[in-house]
């Protein structure tokens, strides 16, 4: 998708390794660990070595970054609904989590996907995904991994900001009801939600301040204070929009009841400029690492509500929207 569009390089094992080395080997004086606390890995990366034989996990740990692991097995159709899905991967999850923990992972991620549209999300899709997320979280905690709970509401569609806010409240409320029912230790978990935004095809756009207010209010109405932190996904926003909206969320002060750390867990919106600068060429690695440092620091500032909007990037304002995004 987006990655193929900005990098004219085949996705081979060696190229994937080279790109990960680029991300994980910034110089110590870059202090990248001050901006990025953790990194979600695919299973391939968790057990992969760099070209010099150093485990990728150790490269991250040397930067002060905590390794995590994506543990779900992707989406499956939820039959009897209008093109809705449920996430696979619960079978054998405890054994896999034990293996991941031994390999150095300290947290895990599981992505559920819901869609806004006519009669969507259905109550069935909301409940099935809520229970699956809760079961995943309890299994992870049984094996010593901190679960990131990710009920993503896709930005595809013409829905308004208000419609997204209402759906977000329904989905998060159901998710935490299920987590309580499954005895999930909320203080040992994180939430990775969408920001409340209009659909990508909606003609009524929203300012960062409107998005910040709607997002915080939705969280206040549905997320228990016991949850330690909220790490937003970028959901197809441009790098700059994702940073500005996170900044607005942290600047929102009326009424200002925000008991959670409000931070970021970006994929596309952290790497688009890096990939565009790199282009799969070894000689471009230093320039690409500069892009990573810049955008990571910009989001670090936004997580404090202190972003001044003064960071430019190779893909800073480019749309990163991918319809019905899957990975």
């Amino acid at each position: 998708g987006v990655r193929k569009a900005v990098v004219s390089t085949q996705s081979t094992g060696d190229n994937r390794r080279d790109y990960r080395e680029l991300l994980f080997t910034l110089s110590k004086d870059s202090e990248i660990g001050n901006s990025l606390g953790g990194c979600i890995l695919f299973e391939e990366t968790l057990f992969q070595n760099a070209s010099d034989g150093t485990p990728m996990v150790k490269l991250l740990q040397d930067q002060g970054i905590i390794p995590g692991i994506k543990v779900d097995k992707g989406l499956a159709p939820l039959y009897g609904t209008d093109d809705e899905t449920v996430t696979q991967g619960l079978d054998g999850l405890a054994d896999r989590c034990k293996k991941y923990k031994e390999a150095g992972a300290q947290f895990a991620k599981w992505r559920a996907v819901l869609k806004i549209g006519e009669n969507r999300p259905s109550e069935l899709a909301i409940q099935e995904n809520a229970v699956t997320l809760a079961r995943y979280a309890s299994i992870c905690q049984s094996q010593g991994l901190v679960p990131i709970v990710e009920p993503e509401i896709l930005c595809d569609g013409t829905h308004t900001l208000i419609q997204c806010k209402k759906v977000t409240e329904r989905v998060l409320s159901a998710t935490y009801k299920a987590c309580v029912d499954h005895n999930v230790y909320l203080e040992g978990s994180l939430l990775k939600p969408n920001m409340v935004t209009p659909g990508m095809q909606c003609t009524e756009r929203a300012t960062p301040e409107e998005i910040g207010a709607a997002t915080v209010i939705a969280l206040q109405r549905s997320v228990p204070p016991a949850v330690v932190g909220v790490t937003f996904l970028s959901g197809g926003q441009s790098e700059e929009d994702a940073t500005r909206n996170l900044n607005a969320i942290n600047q929102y002060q009326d009424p200002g009841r925000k008991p959670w750390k409000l931070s970021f867990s970006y994929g596309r919106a952290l790497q688009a400029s890096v990939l565009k600068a790199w282009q799969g060429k070894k000689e471009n690695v230093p320039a690409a690492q500069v892009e990573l440092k810049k955008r990571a620091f910009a989001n670090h500032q936004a997580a404090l509500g202190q972003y001044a909007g003064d960071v430019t990037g190779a893909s800073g304002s480019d749309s990163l929207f991918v319809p019905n995004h899957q990975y």
Side-chain angles (χ1 to χ4, degrees), residues 2 18 32 39-40 47 58 66 104 108 135 141 144 147 151 194 221 230 246 265 269 273 303:
V2 171
D18 291 346
I32 191 69
C39 181
I40 301 167
F47 296 101
K58 187 175 188 306
I66 300 170
R135 291 181 62 194
Q141 290 183 336
N194 53 282
R221 292 176 176 176
V230 178
L246 177 63
S265 179
S273 288

Side-chain angles (χ1 to χ4, degrees), residues 23 26 30-39 63 65 239-240 242-243 246 261 263-274 288-304 306-307 310-313:
L23 297 175
L26 273 71
S30 73
E31 298 183 333
I32 191 69
N34 291 338
S35 298
L36 301 177
C39 181
Q63 296 279 6
I65 298 172
E239 289 182 335
E240 185 64 11
T243 304
L246 177 63
K261 172 67 177 175
S263 189
F264 63 96
S265 179
Y266 295 165
R268 286 170 283 173
L270 189 62
Q271 300 178 68
S273 288
V274 179
Q289 290 181 328
V290 167
E291 294 290 344
L292 174 61
K293 180 181 177 181
K294 285 195 304 183
R295 186 50 58 183
F297 183 71
N299 286 309
H300 167 70
Q301 292 295 103
L304 299 173
Q306 298 174 1
Y307 179 57
D310 54 352
V311 173
T312 59

Side-chain angles (χ1 to χ4, degrees), residues 58-317:
K58 187 175 188 306
L59 292 179
L60 282 173
Q61 292 169 336
D62 288 348
Q63 296 279 6
I65 298 172
I66 300 170
I69 179 72
K70 175 185 182 292
V71 300
D72 69 74
K73 296 292 186 179
L75 306 179
L78 185 58
Y79 293 105
T81 65
D82 182 13
D83 194 33
E84 295 182 289
T85 59
V86 68
T87 308
Q88 307 173 95
L90 289 176
D91 289 349
L93 180 58
D95 290 338
R96 287 191 287 122
C97 285
K98 181 179 179 181
K99 179 177 68 172
Y100 299 149
K101 177 76 173 182
E102 291 171 349
Q106 299 300 312
F107 65 94
K109 188 197 85 131
W110 177 289
R111 177 181 182 246
V113 173
L114 297 113
K115 303 172 183 178
I116 299 178
E118 187 175 358
N119 301 318
R120 295 189 305 186
S122 65
E123 189 62 22
L124 176 62
I126 291 173
Q127 294 300 328
E128 284 295 315
N129 281 288
V131 168
T132 303
L133 281 166
R135 291 181 62 194
Y136 138 79
S138 64
I139 292 169
C140 285
Q141 290 183 336
S142 75
Q143 300 302 317
L145 294 179
V146 172
I148 296 179
V149 174
E150 182 181 1
E152 177 178 2
I153 300 167
L154 294 181
C155 58
D156 308 50
T158 60
H159 54 271
T160 65
L161 182 76
I162 296 302
Q163 287 173 307
C164 183
K165 177 171 166 289
K166 290 179 178 177
V167 171
T168 299
E169 291 171 8
R170 282 179 63 203
V171 168
L172 293 179
S173 296
T175 297
Y176 280 105
K177 169 64 166 61
C179 284
V180 170
D181 289 345
H182 285 77
N183 300 310
V184 174
Y185 180 58
L186 298 183
E187 292 87 345
S189 68
L190 296 169
L191 171 66
K192 181 175 178 176
N194 53 282
M195 296 180 187
V196 175
T197 64
M200 283 294 182
Q201 290 79 37
C202 179
T203 57
E204 300 176 35
R205 305 316 298 167
T207 65
E209 290 72 25
E210 290 169 333
I211 289 169
T215 300
V216 173
I217 291 169
L219 296 179
Q220 289 170 336
R221 292 176 176 176
S222 52
V223 180
V227 174
V228 176
V230 178
T231 60
F232 292 99
L233 56 91
S234 54
Q237 301 176 77
S238 71
E239 289 182 335
E240 185 64 11
D241 283 349
T243 304
R244 286 182 178 274
N245 290 336
L246 177 63
N247 191 63
I249 287 168
N250 279 286
Q251 287 187 338
Y252 177 72
Q253 294 297 330
D254 184 19
R257 297 186 297 274
K258 297 183 290 188
W260 332 268
K261 172 67 177 175
L262 301 174
S263 189
F264 63 96
S265 179
Y266 295 165
R268 286 170 283 173
L270 189 62
Q271 300 178 68
S273 288
V274 179
L275 286 161
K276 194 169 186 178
W278 177 51
Q279 289 297 324
K281 298 176 182 178
K282 186 175 182 179
E283 62 269 25
N284 291 342
V285 166
Q289 290 181 328
V290 167
E291 294 290 344
L292 174 61
K293 180 181 177 181
K294 285 195 304 183
R295 186 50 58 183
F297 183 71
N299 286 309
H300 167 70
Q301 292 295 103
L304 299 173
Q306 298 174 1
Y307 179 57
D310 54 352
V311 173
T312 59
S315 290
S317 59

